[in-house]
Amino acid sequence: MEASRKKVGLLDILAWLIALVLFFPIFWMALTAFKTEQGAYSPDLFFVPTLDSFREVFARSDYKAHALNSIYISFGSTILCFLLAIPAAYRMAFFPTPKTRSTLVWMLSTKMMPSVGVLLPIYLLAKSAGLLDSIWGLILICALMNLPVAVWMSYTYFCEIPKAILEAARVDGAGLFHEMRDILAPMALPGISSTALLLIILSWNESFWSINLTSAKAAPLTVFIASYSSPEGLFWAKLSAASLLAVAPIMVMGWLTQKRLVSGLTFGAVK
Amino acid sequence: MAASTKPNRLQTLLQAPAVGVLFLWMIVPLAMTIYFSFIRYNLLNPDTKGFAKFENYKFLWEDPAFFPAIKNTLVLIGSVLVITVVFGTLLAVLFERKFFGRNIATLLVIAPFFIMPTVSALLWKNMMLHPVYGLLARAFAAVGLTPIDWFGHYPMVSIIALVSWEWLPFAFLILYTAMKSLDHEQREAAQIDGASSVQMFFHITIPHLKRAMGVVVMIETIFLLSIFAEIYTTTSGGPGTATTNLAYLVYSLGLQQFDVGLASAGGILAVILANIVSFFLVKMWAKSLKGGG
């Protein structure tokens, strides 16, 4: 008994140690963000924190523009995605036909296309449509990319709503609009909001298309941060401050949706 | 009866836009890639045109970067899969036990997954692995070892480390979730029968996690086939072709050398690779839909 308790203690420490090691780079980045530009190169743990880097990042007006682009793209694509996904999921969940299941599987299978396989046509289509370096182009692409996830997750959450409630409302003479607003919306809201969080995370971090389809005007934060990779741009404190601002809100969102994330990311294959 | 046919048409209308745009999104670019891969098409030189038969595929085959790219793609995918699945499984087992502050430790483990790829890439390239100022170099110097220029001398190892760090949280999260449905009675029975923890791990835990592992392998494979931002921000495919994967090769053929035909042939290869994988994946989902209802 004594021995096994001791062993358990060691495993606990091991688990914590691994967690800290995996998180360490992020912690270090957060720390560096509060250092001076000279101090950023030293491995000191203790230093006088300063907000200079944040001030400088904000002073560069382009940071705000790129942050706004990221916000427009992630929220815009999520809204567009929902406009398409929710009616479809509603139909599939409440009025399923024999074809519904195969439609769902087909939707998932479209996610299996590697982005690089269609890079050239998408680039050329965007170019001829005037959507190169335009946030509309990225909004459209992110929405299409995430559509199967959105349909799938909303479908799952709609299926959890007991159909009897809807039928009772219909017997009472509630119209479709009524049914949607007063019964469906409140019940589906928790599921829909965690779906929205996942979609925002996915489009916020999307890097393949944003690097290839934007250059300056429409570049989101992913591309802006990548511009720090040039040797002359090695300002670690500023890079860290900009990065911290870019990842912190999304990390919190990810933590909030943690429980629902798995079924969303695996399309329900693991619950 | 008439009343019921009308809502049906409305219902179809609800689903049609989603199905329609997805269908276009799937079929149009793919058809274009296939078409481009069989014609001569260079953005810089409008005179190169016409049907090319298999010329693009032949040139791609003869491109000095082609075999390194295929090798790098497979090495990258294979290594990251092994690392994330093995360590993800061990971590899931470790975290399945209750311990002090487990929820917070879990948040720390999954955090890297939410970091945008370009941030992860620069974080590792500069603050962790920089040959002079990086923390690893400092640590090496502190114990009297010669610091290593990781991205210069071991570029592929560095990329693999970086990408594994990004994807380990994903594997962990999926496997950790799957662990929760493990039958505890079965384990207790095995324990009473005198099974060791190692035996239980291989005979109960691993078989239970098989399906979840399959899901992790297939989803990661699809994403890893298109790993691009990490390479673009750290090594630009180099030194030489040391870290050029299929995705980066297609980018450099198409958007740097503007040879659309050649790049499209590379794109088709990526699609074929992905299809081999997704064939199994979709089959599995279909099964889980039937089973899970």
Side-chain angles (χ1 to χ4, degrees):
Chain A
M1 205 58 213
E2 196 65 8
S4 86
R5 195 171 285 165
K6 214 173 188 176
K7 207 166 110 197
V8 166
L10 278 178
L11 286 177
D12 294 356
I13 294 169
L14 181 67
W16 261 102
L17 213 62
I18 294 174
L20 291 175
V21 166
L22 286 174
F23 189 73
F24 182 77
I26 301 170
F27 166 75
W28 195 252
M29 176 183 82
L31 213 60
T32 310
F34 291 97
K35 290 180 174 177
T36 60
E37 208 55 76
Q38 297 96 307
Y41 292 97
S42 82
D44 293 341
L45 255 181
F46 300 99
F47 57 92
V48 185
T50 165
L51 290 174
D52 283 356
S53 308
F54 290 97
R55 264 184 228 119
E56 274 191 62
V57 165
F58 274 118
R60 283 181 64 180
S61 57
D62 53 348
Y63 180 82
K64 261 177 259 167
H66 295 304
L68 271 180
N69 283 342
S70 274
I71 292 171
Y72 290 147
I73 291 164
S74 51
F75 283 81
S77 68
T78 301
I79 292 168
L80 178 60
C81 197
F82 270 147
L83 286 178
L84 292 164
I86 293 203
Y90 170 80
R91 197 264 166 127
M92 288 173 169
F94 295 109
F95 309 97
T97 65
K99 271 198 206 152
T100 296
R101 284 217 163 136
S102 52
T103 310
L104 271 170
V105 173
W106 167 76
M107 282 190 163
L108 303 181
S109 73
T110 64
K111 274 299 280 179
M112 300 293 99
M113 169 79 75
S115 317
V116 63
V118 291
L119 170 62
L120 270 302
I122 298 290
Y123 178 87
L124 292 169
L125 283 173
K127 195 175 161 199
S128 54
L131 290 176
L132 270 190
D133 204 15
S134 131
I135 59 168
W136 290 106
L138 275 187
I139 286 178
L140 191 64
I141 284 180
C142 285
L144 287 168
M145 224 173 54
N146 291 336
L147 188 54
V149 185
V151 171
W152 177 266
M153 281 180 84
S154 323
Y155 168 78
T156 321
Y157 296 129
F158 282 153
C159 283
E160 284 168 12
I161 297 172
K163 278 185 189 159
I165 295 182
L166 289 186
E167 270 153 28
R170 237 169 274 155
V171 170
D172 289 345
L176 185 67
F177 175 71
H178 222 61
E179 180 186 316
M180 291 249 180
R181 195 192 58 186
D182 297 328
I183 301 155
L184 206 59
M187 291 188 83
L189 202 62
I192 297 300
S193 46
S194 60
T195 310
L197 282 181
L198 178 63
L199 298 188
I200 290 170
I201 293 171
L202 291 175
S203 14
W204 185 273
N205 288 344
E206 199 293 312
S207 305
F208 182 82
W209 293 111
S210 51
I211 288 176
N212 282 310
L213 297 183
T214 67
S215 49
K217 193 165 58 81
L221 286 172
T222 42
V223 178
F224 172 69
I225 301 280
S227 72
Y228 273 89
S229 67
S230 57
E232 64 271 25
L234 276 184
F235 297 105
W236 287 9
K238 274 193 281 294
L239 166 65
S240 299
S243 301
L244 187 63
L245 290 170
V247 302
I250 289 303
M251 214 161 70
V252 173
M253 277 189 191
W255 283 342
L256 290 177
T257 72
Q258 184 203 340
K259 292 219 169 71
R260 305 252 184 184
L261 214 58
V262 173
S263 76
L265 287 170
T266 63
F267 303 109
V270 175
K271 279 175 206 160
Chain B
M1 245 7 240
S4 79
T5 48
K6 210 175 163 195
N8 266 338
R9 199 168 296 158
L10 183 77
Q11 287 159 20
T12 315
L13 259 170
L14 291 174
Q15 198 184 312
V19 172
V21 295
L22 258 185
F23 184 73
L24 290 177
W25 168 245
M26 189 188 75
I27 211 75
V28 173
L30 181 62
M32 286 172 77
T33 311
I34 295 174
Y35 171 66
F36 290 157
S37 77
F38 287 109
I39 60 167
R40 297 189 189 95
Y41 188 178
N42 191 309
L43 289 175
L44 291 182
N45 188 355
D47 294 333
T48 48
K49 51 186 168 196
F51 185 58
K53 285 187 284 192
F54 286 96
E55 249 171 47
N56 287 321
Y57 290 93
K58 192 171 151 268
F59 287 149
L60 186 69
W61 182 270
E62 287 162 1
D63 193 301
F66 177 69
F67 281 104
I70 294 286
K71 195 195 99 200
N72 289 336
T73 305
L74 297 178
V75 167
L76 179 62
I77 296 178
S79 317
V80 174
L81 281 180
V82 169
I83 292 170
T84 54
V85 170
V86 169
F87 286 99
T89 306
L90 293 176
L91 261 184
V93 172
L94 197 58
F95 273 68
E96 199 250 347
R97 310 157 39 259
K98 285 197 178 64
F99 62 85
F100 177 72
R102 181 172 65 165
N103 288 339
I104 294 169
T106 308
L107 293 185
L108 298 185
V109 171
I110 63 172
F113 186 65
F114 304 116
I115 307 293
M116 53 176 68
T118 47
V119 167
S120 307
L122 288 182
L123 177 56
W124 278 85
K125 186 191 177 191
N126 294 328
M127 279 161 269
M128 296 295 124
L129 300 181
H130 191 280
V132 181
Y133 301 113
L135 275 182
L136 219 56
R138 298 270 191 194
F140 270 52
V143 294
L145 291 167
T146 317
I148 293 170
D149 180 4
W150 291 99
F151 274 102
H153 292 139
Y154 303 97
M156 203 45 171
V157 174
S158 310
I159 299 274
I160 289 169
L162 159 64
V163 176
S164 301
W165 180 73
E166 291 177 313
W167 284 93
L168 177 60
F170 173 79
F172 163 74
L173 197 57
I174 306 295
L175 294 166
Y176 178 55
T177 309
M179 279 295 281
K180 286 179 183 156
S181 60
L182 191 65
D183 188 356
H184 283 272
E185 278 173 28
Q186 197 186 0
R187 266 200 303 189
E188 271 160 34
Q191 209 159 19
I192 290 165
D193 288 345
S196 70
S197 358
V198 177
Q199 278 174 323
M200 288 205 291
F201 178 73
F202 283 107
H203 294 290
I204 298 176
T205 310
I206 295 283
H208 174 77
L209 289 179
K210 248 186 201 154
R211 220 175 78 95
M213 283 178 186
V215 172
V216 170
V217 166
M218 294 183 207
I219 293 181
E220 279 191 15
T221 308
I222 299 298
F223 278 95
L224 296 175
L225 259 174
S226 291
I227 283 287
F228 171 75
E230 289 84 346
I231 293 172
Y232 172 86
T233 20
T234 55
T235 62
S236 308
T241 54
T243 53
T244 298
N245 66 350
L246 203 51
Y248 198 85
L249 181 67
V250 170
Y251 158 79
S252 100
L253 291 174
L255 300 186
Q256 289 182 321
Q257 300 169 32
F258 299 105
D259 193 331
V260 178
L262 200 53
S264 296
I268 290 302
L269 279 182
V271 173
I272 290 171
L273 273 175
N275 265 293
I276 296 170
V277 176
S278 63
F279 173 75
F280 295 102
L281 184 50
V282 171
K283 229 172 143 182
M284 209 160 81
W285 268 322
K287 219 189 259 171
S288 84
L289 275 175
K290 271 178 206 134

